[in-house]
Amino acid sequence: AVITQTAVIADGDWTRPETWRIDRPFAVIDPEADYVPLELSDIAGDSYLPYAKHPAYPVLLMPAWEALGHRGIMLVSAVSAWLAAVAGALIARRIRPGLELPTLWLLGVGSPLIFDAAVIMAHGLAAALMGFVVLTASTLLDLPGRPAVRGPRAIVAVAGTGLLTVLLVMMRSEGFLASIALAAALGLAALRRDAAARTGIRLRWPLAASAVVVALAGVSAYLLDGRLAAALVGDGDASPYTIESTGSLIGGRISRSILQPAAPLSMASSTLLLVACLTAILAAVQLRRGAAARDRGETVDWRPIVMLAAIAAVCAVGRAFFEPSLIIGLVPAFPLLVVGL
């Protein structure tokens, strides 16, 4: 859908709503638009729009399409996934120098990003934008050996978080939820306990300003994105603020995009997957504890870790013998994320 929409608007003036539309074949005998060529298209009378939900994404892909065609769009997706891994590595280096290289490989090869590199749905691009939003915001934090930026650099950082947040929300609906979560985290970080302060709490203004900017940018971009989608569809059947195929924005994203183990759901297959995820998480936690104990000079019993890892591997392999299904939840697809958090 995204590739079709990009190709359509590249052939005309993309600022005009009619340029985004494609005539529906056999509209006379299909007045309800039950049989459009591309699933989940928006309907506008006798026309349909393949991908109008986030108009900024096809517009962003236009230069790549005009330069290299389908290869150009695939290149954007692959580079975006790589940049997401780079952003995660830079965040890890800021928190604890020395973790950047394992983080880069874990995110780039051991996470769902490796599949997003071949998917034209802005997953990798949104992940990269979110990573750089967090990285920019982290420069406002005082970390061991990494003091927060001050003065004009702090102003640039605050403005950067706002700009990146707008781009993030315009690419993916999940960006709105991520922006609100980040704004809340920055707001809490801005409240620092200080014994010398009259109330015991001193407000760190750069972090507070960044929290406000991220929240306003997220809400504004979300509303603007929906208005643009509705304007392109016109009086057609547009639902810019909900995802019809997955329910409400919040409920659908939490249940489907984060927690649901597979689609279609299969009790046996899903159970094996969940057991594999839980045992992999427990094994990773025990491994971290064992490494810490070893650094303290204590004797470590590695047998429970090996046993948990073996159970996880057996369950993961056993799932392959059941009916194929997509792993669509982030936690089941990348259980080590829980350990990292």
Short mmCIF file of all heavy atoms in Angstrom, two decimals, residues 249-289:
data_model
loop_
_atom_site.label_atom_id
_atom_site.label_comp_id
_atom_site.label_asym_id
_atom_site.label_seq_id
_atom_site.Cartn_x
_atom_site.Cartn_y
_atom_site.Cartn_z
N LEU A 249 -6.79 2.95 19.68
CA LEU A 249 -5.36 3.27 19.59
C LEU A 249 -4.59 2.68 20.77
O LEU A 249 -3.59 2.00 20.59
CB LEU A 249 -5.18 4.78 19.53
CG LEU A 249 -3.73 5.28 19.59
CD1 LEU A 249 -2.97 4.84 18.37
CD2 LEU A 249 -3.68 6.79 19.75
N ILE A 250 -5.07 2.92 22.00
CA ILE A 250 -4.33 2.47 23.19
C ILE A 250 -4.53 0.98 23.42
O ILE A 250 -3.57 0.21 23.53
CB ILE A 250 -4.77 3.29 24.42
CG1 ILE A 250 -4.41 4.77 24.21
CG2 ILE A 250 -4.10 2.75 25.67
CD1 ILE A 250 -4.84 5.66 25.36
N GLY A 251 -5.79 0.54 23.49
CA GLY A 251 -6.07 -0.86 23.75
C GLY A 251 -5.52 -1.78 22.68
O GLY A 251 -4.92 -2.82 22.96
N GLY A 252 -5.70 -1.39 21.42
CA GLY A 252 -5.22 -2.21 20.32
C GLY A 252 -3.71 -2.31 20.30
O GLY A 252 -3.15 -3.39 20.07
N ARG A 253 -3.02 -1.22 20.57
CA ARG A 253 -1.57 -1.24 20.54
C ARG A 253 -0.99 -2.05 21.70
O ARG A 253 -0.02 -2.78 21.55
CB ARG A 253 -1.02 0.20 20.57
CG ARG A 253 -1.16 0.92 19.23
CD ARG A 253 -0.35 0.17 18.17
NE ARG A 253 -0.44 0.82 16.88
CZ ARG A 253 -1.09 0.33 15.84
NH1 ARG A 253 -1.73 -0.81 15.93
NH2 ARG A 253 -1.10 0.96 14.69
N ILE A 254 -1.58 -1.92 22.90
CA ILE A 254 -1.05 -2.65 24.05
C ILE A 254 -1.28 -4.14 23.89
O ILE A 254 -0.37 -4.96 24.08
CB ILE A 254 -1.68 -2.14 25.35
CG1 ILE A 254 -1.21 -0.71 25.64
CG2 ILE A 254 -1.33 -3.06 26.52
CD1 ILE A 254 -1.84 -0.09 26.86
N SER A 255 -2.51 -4.52 23.52
CA SER A 255 -2.83 -5.95 23.45
C SER A 255 -2.21 -6.62 22.23
O SER A 255 -1.68 -7.73 22.32
CB SER A 255 -4.35 -6.14 23.42
OG SER A 255 -4.90 -5.55 22.25
N ARG A 256 -2.23 -5.95 21.10
CA ARG A 256 -1.78 -6.59 19.85
C ARG A 256 -0.30 -6.36 19.59
O ARG A 256 0.44 -7.30 19.34
CB ARG A 256 -2.62 -6.05 18.69
CG ARG A 256 -2.30 -6.72 17.34
CD ARG A 256 -3.22 -6.17 16.27
NE ARG A 256 -2.89 -6.70 14.96
CZ ARG A 256 -3.39 -7.81 14.45
NH1 ARG A 256 -4.23 -8.53 15.17
NH2 ARG A 256 -3.06 -8.22 13.24
N SER A 257 0.13 -5.12 19.66
CA SER A 257 1.49 -4.80 19.25
C SER A 257 2.53 -5.09 20.32
O SER A 257 3.72 -5.15 20.02
CB SER A 257 1.59 -3.32 18.84
OG SER A 257 0.73 -3.05 17.76
N ILE A 258 2.11 -5.25 21.56
CA ILE A 258 3.08 -5.45 22.64
C ILE A 258 2.99 -6.84 23.25
O ILE A 258 3.99 -7.51 23.46
CB ILE A 258 2.90 -4.38 23.74
CG1 ILE A 258 3.15 -2.98 23.16
CG2 ILE A 258 3.83 -4.64 24.91
CD1 ILE A 258 2.96 -1.86 24.14
N LEU A 259 1.76 -7.33 23.48
CA LEU A 259 1.61 -8.56 24.27
C LEU A 259 1.18 -9.78 23.48
O LEU A 259 1.52 -10.91 23.86
CB LEU A 259 0.59 -8.31 25.40
CG LEU A 259 0.94 -7.21 26.39
CD1 LEU A 259 -0.19 -7.04 27.39
CD2 LEU A 259 2.24 -7.52 27.11
N GLN A 260 0.43 -9.62 22.39
CA GLN A 260 -0.13 -10.79 21.71
C GLN A 260 0.98 -11.66 21.13
O GLN A 260 1.83 -11.18 20.38
CB GLN A 260 -1.09 -10.36 20.61
CG GLN A 260 -1.81 -11.53 19.94
CD GLN A 260 -2.91 -11.07 19.00
OE1 GLN A 260 -3.50 -10.02 19.20
NE2 GLN A 260 -3.19 -11.85 17.98
N PRO A 261 0.98 -12.97 21.45
CA PRO A 261 2.09 -13.81 21.00
C PRO A 261 2.06 -14.16 19.53
O PRO A 261 3.11 -14.33 18.91
CB PRO A 261 1.94 -15.07 21.86
CG PRO A 261 0.50 -15.11 22.23
CD PRO A 261 0.07 -13.68 22.35
N ALA A 262 0.86 -14.32 18.94
CA ALA A 262 0.82 -14.77 17.56
C ALA A 262 -0.49 -14.39 16.91
O ALA A 262 -1.49 -14.11 17.59
CB ALA A 262 1.02 -16.29 17.47
N ALA A 263 -0.51 -14.38 15.59
CA ALA A 263 -1.73 -14.17 14.81
C ALA A 263 -1.65 -15.05 13.57
O ALA A 263 -0.69 -14.95 12.80
CB ALA A 263 -1.87 -12.69 14.41
N PRO A 264 -2.63 -15.96 13.35
CA PRO A 264 -3.77 -16.20 14.24
C PRO A 264 -3.35 -16.91 15.52
O PRO A 264 -2.31 -17.58 15.56
CB PRO A 264 -4.68 -17.09 13.40
CG PRO A 264 -3.74 -17.80 12.47
CD PRO A 264 -2.64 -16.83 12.16
N LEU A 265 -4.18 -16.75 16.58
CA LEU A 265 -3.86 -17.35 17.87
C LEU A 265 -4.01 -18.86 17.81
O LEU A 265 -4.99 -19.38 17.28
CB LEU A 265 -4.77 -16.77 18.95
CG LEU A 265 -4.40 -15.37 19.48
CD1 LEU A 265 -5.49 -14.85 20.39
CD2 LEU A 265 -3.07 -15.41 20.21
N SER A 266 -3.05 -19.56 18.37
CA SER A 266 -3.10 -21.02 18.52
C SER A 266 -2.68 -21.34 19.94
O SER A 266 -1.59 -20.91 20.38
CB SER A 266 -2.16 -21.69 17.51
OG SER A 266 -2.00 -23.06 17.82
N MET A 267 -3.51 -22.05 20.68
CA MET A 267 -3.24 -22.29 22.09
C MET A 267 -1.90 -23.00 22.29
O MET A 267 -1.07 -22.57 23.08
CB MET A 267 -4.37 -23.12 22.69
CG MET A 267 -4.19 -23.42 24.18
SD MET A 267 -4.09 -21.91 25.18
CE MET A 267 -5.78 -21.29 24.99
N ALA A 268 -1.68 -24.10 21.56
CA ALA A 268 -0.44 -24.87 21.75
C ALA A 268 0.79 -24.06 21.34
O ALA A 268 1.78 -23.97 22.08
CB ALA A 268 -0.52 -26.17 20.96
N SER A 269 0.71 -23.45 20.15
CA SER A 269 1.84 -22.68 19.65
C SER A 269 2.13 -21.48 20.55
O SER A 269 3.29 -21.19 20.88
CB SER A 269 1.57 -22.22 18.23
OG SER A 269 2.61 -21.40 17.75
N SER A 270 1.07 -20.76 20.97
CA SER A 270 1.25 -19.58 21.82
C SER A 270 1.80 -19.97 23.18
O SER A 270 2.62 -19.25 23.75
CB SER A 270 -0.08 -18.85 21.97
OG SER A 270 -0.54 -18.38 20.72
N THR A 271 1.34 -21.11 23.71
CA THR A 271 1.85 -21.55 25.02
C THR A 271 3.34 -21.85 24.95
O THR A 271 4.11 -21.44 25.84
CB THR A 271 1.09 -22.80 25.48
OG1 THR A 271 -0.30 -22.49 25.59
CG2 THR A 271 1.60 -23.28 26.84
N LEU A 272 3.77 -22.55 23.92
CA LEU A 272 5.20 -22.82 23.75
C LEU A 272 6.00 -21.53 23.63
O LEU A 272 7.09 -21.40 24.20
CB LEU A 272 5.42 -23.69 22.52
CG LEU A 272 5.11 -25.19 22.67
CD1 LEU A 272 5.29 -25.88 21.32
CD2 LEU A 272 6.00 -25.83 23.71
N LEU A 273 5.46 -20.58 22.88
CA LEU A 273 6.16 -19.32 22.70
C LEU A 273 6.29 -18.57 24.02
O LEU A 273 7.35 -18.02 24.34
CB LEU A 273 5.43 -18.46 21.66
CG LEU A 273 6.05 -17.09 21.38
CD1 LEU A 273 7.45 -17.26 20.82
CD2 LEU A 273 5.18 -16.32 20.40
N LEU A 274 5.20 -18.53 24.81
CA LEU A 274 5.24 -17.82 26.08
C LEU A 274 6.22 -18.49 27.05
O LEU A 274 6.96 -17.81 27.77
CB LEU A 274 3.84 -17.77 26.69
CG LEU A 274 2.84 -16.87 25.97
CD1 LEU A 274 1.45 -16.98 26.60
CD2 LEU A 274 3.30 -15.41 25.99
N VAL A 275 6.22 -19.83 27.08
CA VAL A 275 7.17 -20.54 27.94
C VAL A 275 8.61 -20.24 27.50
O VAL A 275 9.49 -20.00 28.34
CB VAL A 275 6.91 -22.06 27.91
CG1 VAL A 275 8.02 -22.81 28.64
CG2 VAL A 275 5.56 -22.37 28.53
N ALA A 276 8.85 -20.22 26.19
CA ALA A 276 10.18 -19.89 25.68
C ALA A 276 10.59 -18.49 26.11
O ALA A 276 11.74 -18.26 26.52
CB ALA A 276 10.20 -20.02 24.16
N CYS A 277 9.66 -17.53 26.01
CA CYS A 277 9.98 -16.14 26.39
C CYS A 277 10.28 -16.03 27.88
O CYS A 277 11.28 -15.40 28.27
CB CYS A 277 8.81 -15.23 26.02
SG CYS A 277 8.57 -14.99 24.26
N LEU A 278 9.44 -16.65 28.72
CA LEU A 278 9.63 -16.54 30.16
C LEU A 278 10.94 -17.20 30.60
O LEU A 278 11.69 -16.62 31.41
CB LEU A 278 8.45 -17.19 30.88
CG LEU A 278 7.11 -16.44 30.78
CD1 LEU A 278 6.00 -17.25 31.44
CD2 LEU A 278 7.22 -15.07 31.44
N THR A 279 11.24 -18.37 30.06
CA THR A 279 12.48 -19.03 30.45
C THR A 279 13.70 -18.29 29.92
O THR A 279 14.74 -18.23 30.58
CB THR A 279 12.49 -20.49 29.94
OG1 THR A 279 12.13 -20.52 28.54
CG2 THR A 279 11.51 -21.34 30.71
N ALA A 280 13.59 -17.69 28.73
CA ALA A 280 14.70 -16.90 28.20
C ALA A 280 14.95 -15.68 29.08
O ALA A 280 16.10 -15.32 29.36
CB ALA A 280 14.41 -16.48 26.76
N ILE A 281 13.87 -15.03 29.54
CA ILE A 281 14.01 -13.86 30.41
C ILE A 281 14.65 -14.27 31.74
O ILE A 281 15.58 -13.61 32.24
CB ILE A 281 12.63 -13.21 30.65
CG1 ILE A 281 12.14 -12.55 29.35
CG2 ILE A 281 12.71 -12.18 31.76
CD1 ILE A 281 10.71 -12.07 29.43
N LEU A 282 14.16 -15.38 32.33
CA LEU A 282 14.73 -15.84 33.59
C LEU A 282 16.21 -16.22 33.44
O LEU A 282 17.03 -15.94 34.31
CB LEU A 282 13.93 -17.04 34.12
CG LEU A 282 12.51 -16.73 34.60
CD1 LEU A 282 11.78 -18.02 34.96
CD2 LEU A 282 12.55 -15.80 35.81
N ALA A 283 16.54 -16.88 32.32
CA ALA A 283 17.93 -17.26 32.08
C ALA A 283 18.82 -16.02 31.97
O ALA A 283 19.94 -15.98 32.52
CB ALA A 283 18.03 -18.09 30.81
N ALA A 284 18.34 -14.98 31.27
CA ALA A 284 19.13 -13.76 31.12
C ALA A 284 19.31 -13.05 32.46
O ALA A 284 20.40 -12.54 32.76
CB ALA A 284 18.46 -12.84 30.10
N VAL A 285 18.25 -13.03 33.28
CA VAL A 285 18.35 -12.39 34.60
C VAL A 285 19.35 -13.14 35.46
O VAL A 285 20.20 -12.54 36.13
CB VAL A 285 16.96 -12.34 35.27
CG1 VAL A 285 17.09 -11.90 36.73
CG2 VAL A 285 16.04 -11.39 34.52
N GLN A 286 19.26 -14.47 35.46
CA GLN A 286 20.21 -15.28 36.24
C GLN A 286 21.63 -15.11 35.73
O GLN A 286 22.59 -15.11 36.51
CB GLN A 286 19.80 -16.75 36.19
CG GLN A 286 18.51 -17.07 36.93
CD GLN A 286 18.62 -16.77 38.42
OE1 GLN A 286 19.65 -16.97 39.03
NE2 GLN A 286 17.53 -16.27 38.98
N LEU A 287 21.78 -14.94 34.42
CA LEU A 287 23.11 -14.74 33.86
C LEU A 287 23.72 -13.44 34.35
O LEU A 287 24.91 -13.38 34.68
CB LEU A 287 23.03 -14.76 32.32
CG LEU A 287 24.35 -14.63 31.56
CD1 LEU A 287 25.25 -15.83 31.89
CD2 LEU A 287 24.09 -14.55 30.06
N ARG A 288 22.91 -12.39 34.40
CA ARG A 288 23.40 -11.11 34.90
C ARG A 288 23.79 -11.21 36.36
O ARG A 288 24.83 -10.68 36.79
CB ARG A 288 22.34 -10.03 34.71
CG ARG A 288 22.08 -9.65 33.26
CD ARG A 288 21.06 -8.56 33.12
NE ARG A 288 21.49 -7.33 33.78
CZ ARG A 288 20.78 -6.21 33.79
NH1 ARG A 288 19.60 -6.17 33.18
NH2 ARG A 288 21.22 -5.14 34.41
N ARG A 289 22.96 -11.89 37.15
CA ARG A 289 23.29 -12.06 38.56
C ARG A 289 24.55 -12.89 38.73
O ARG A 289 25.39 -12.61 39.60
CB ARG A 289 22.12 -12.73 39.28
CG ARG A 289 20.89 -11.83 39.42
CD ARG A 289 19.77 -12.57 40.12
NE ARG A 289 18.62 -11.69 40.33
CZ ARG A 289 17.46 -12.10 40.87
NH1 ARG A 289 17.32 -13.37 41.26
NH2 ARG A 289 16.47 -11.25 41.03
#
